[in-house]
Amino acid sequence: MSGRSAGGRPSQRADARRNATRITEAARTTFASQGPEASLIEIARTAGVGSATLYRHFPTREALLAAVYQQQIEELAAGARTELTESASPWEALVTWLHAVAFHLATHRGLKGLLISRYEDQAELFTQCRRTLCEAATELLTAAQDCGAVRRDVDAYRMLKMVSAVVLANEQSGDDDEIDLLLGLVIDGLRRHDDPRSEAATP
Amino acid sequence: MSGRSAGGRPSQRADARRNATRITEAARTTFASQGPEASLIEIARTAGVGSATLYRHFPTREALLAAVYQQQIEELAAGARTELTESASPWEALVTWLHAVAFHLATHRGLKGLLISRYEDQAELFTQCRRTLCEAATELLTAAQDCGAVRRDVDAYRMLKMVSAVVLANEQSGDDDEIDLLLGLVIDGLRRHDDPRSEAATP
């Protein structure tokens, strides 16, 4: 399959991609400030496209909300790679990123909840997003394990589950400091400690 | 105030207490097997008391469900003291008890959820139960901290919150092995590790 056969000249398709991104970004800001019932016409206007263009890319409000959710997850995953490059050590990269994940989950639970409660058939979106996040987490975790900072018997899936557990436990209070504190406890649980006395004490 | 002035002779009051306990125990078994809509008449029969006695002690189904919930929490709290006496070390007592708390939460979430969703004004019951559990947890935690097994910067409230977080995160799967595994991670996070290298690596 050549790119052209998919429809339109390359520059047209690049334009379309740019528009889609612009719309998703406008939607993100607008949904964040005005809630999920924000006017789609206003989103189109903010994105600098016509309503027809918005509806061509996102035929329903659900599609637009799902795109916003997916974009956030992809950014979060991309952040893992950035941390790994820029942090002083894989351990620091992991710690920083896990706090970012917790912050994301605490801030955007509403959107996920909305997608689950209002729309059916988002299973594929969530599976895809979970995979994206797990891949990013695995990369960071493996690096931290390889340098001896993190125990080997934890996988990325469980590590993320613990982060999500901490956020869930603080859902009602929404207290960021408390989330950070409990997450610190989880992170300490991930560390590799070579203390044979403690190992022996584990039942 | 003498005991007698509260109404009835001491033996009558002792009888009443015994009846109340017998009813709560029968209710616990019956609710567990038949759900919260189980026949109150059958519960009275199982307890070996008449319906009038049941209603005198528990005028509403809500009161009986609340009593069952409170009894479970009190048993769990009493279990902390038993562990502390019978375990090989305060650390082992703490670990065993935290697993028991997780098991309790995973098994009885339904009852708490029901009390919250169906009945209002249970705030006092939950506050009281949380306090009971926190006191028991504090006793175990302090003993484990005093013998140097557990870090000093964790309090009982947060420790219990983490247990509850683990259970919440596995609510849909209800997988006990997974709960144990994640709880193990939390428990490792509680341990006191004197590894200066790791301390320094914490951002």
Side-chain angles (χ1 to χ4, degrees), chain A residues 195-203, chain B residues 89 91-92 191:
Chain A
D195 178 351
R197 189 181 49 81
S198 311
E199 292 303 320
T202 316
Chain B
S89 70
W91 167 253
E92 276 190 32
R191 280 205 215 157

Side-chain angles (χ1 to χ4, degrees), chain A residues 151 161 170 188 191 202, chain B residues 151 161 170 188 191 202:
Chain A
R151 51 201 285 172
K161 203 169 183 179
N170 289 286
D188 281 348
R191 281 206 214 156
T202 316
Chain B
R151 53 201 282 174
K161 203 168 182 180
N170 288 286
D188 281 347
R191 280 205 215 157
T202 317

Side-chain angles (χ1 to χ4, degrees), chain A residues 1-200:
Chain A
M1 282 201 300
S2 92
R4 281 160 202 266
S5 68
R9 285 171 298 124
S11 68
Q12 279 183 332
R13 284 184 293 115
D15 277 355
R17 261 202 309 276
R18 260 194 300 276
N19 278 342
T21 307
R22 218 179 285 156
I23 294 164
T24 317
E25 274 163 9
R28 192 166 166 172
T29 326
T30 314
F31 286 141
S33 61
Q34 295 174 29
E37 298 305 335
S39 150
L40 298 185
I41 294 172
E42 193 181 319
I43 290 173
R45 200 183 300 132
T46 309
V49 303
S51 296
T53 305
L54 184 145
Y55 286 110
R56 196 163 58 241
H57 285 287
F58 305 102
T60 60
R61 183 178 294 271
E62 174 183 6
L64 189 51
L65 286 164
V68 167
Y69 181 79
Q70 187 161 16
Q71 193 192 48
Q72 288 170 341
I73 296 290
E74 280 163 8
E75 279 184 20
L76 204 53
R81 266 137 236 156
T82 312
E83 286 304 334
L84 208 47
T85 319
E86 296 180 358
S87 293
S89 70
W91 167 254
E92 277 190 31
L94 182 68
V95 171
T96 309
W97 190 70
L98 289 179
H99 279 277
V101 172
F103 180 77
H104 168 88
L105 292 177
T107 314
H108 300 295
R109 279 202 72 73
L111 178 53
K112 185 173 183 182
L114 185 82
L115 283 164
I116 290 173
S117 66
R118 190 184 304 177
Y119 304 108
E120 293 174 11
D121 210 23
Q122 292 291 350
E124 204 186 323
L125 169 72
F126 292 129
T127 306
Q128 173 57 41
C129 285
R130 209 173 297 126
R131 195 180 303 135
T132 303
L133 218 51
C134 247
E135 281 169 7
T138 302
E139 208 171 312
L140 271 176
L141 181 65
T142 308
Q145 285 168 330
D146 286 349
C147 79
V150 170
R151 51 201 285 172
R152 286 267 174 209
D153 61 347
V154 182
D155 59 28
Y157 171 74
R158 291 202 175 98
M159 181 177 72
L160 288 177
K161 203 169 183 179
M162 285 304 301
V163 177
S164 150
V166 165
V167 175
L168 261 175
N170 289 286
E171 200 168 21
Q172 291 186 325
S173 75
D175 180 341
D176 286 345
D177 290 343
E178 187 69 14
I179 290 178
D180 277 344
L181 198 148
L182 293 179
L183 189 59
L185 205 67
V186 167
I187 289 172
D188 281 348
L190 295 175
R191 281 206 214 156
R192 190 173 136 202
H193 295 281
D194 298 315
D195 178 351
R197 189 181 49 81
S198 311
E199 292 303 320

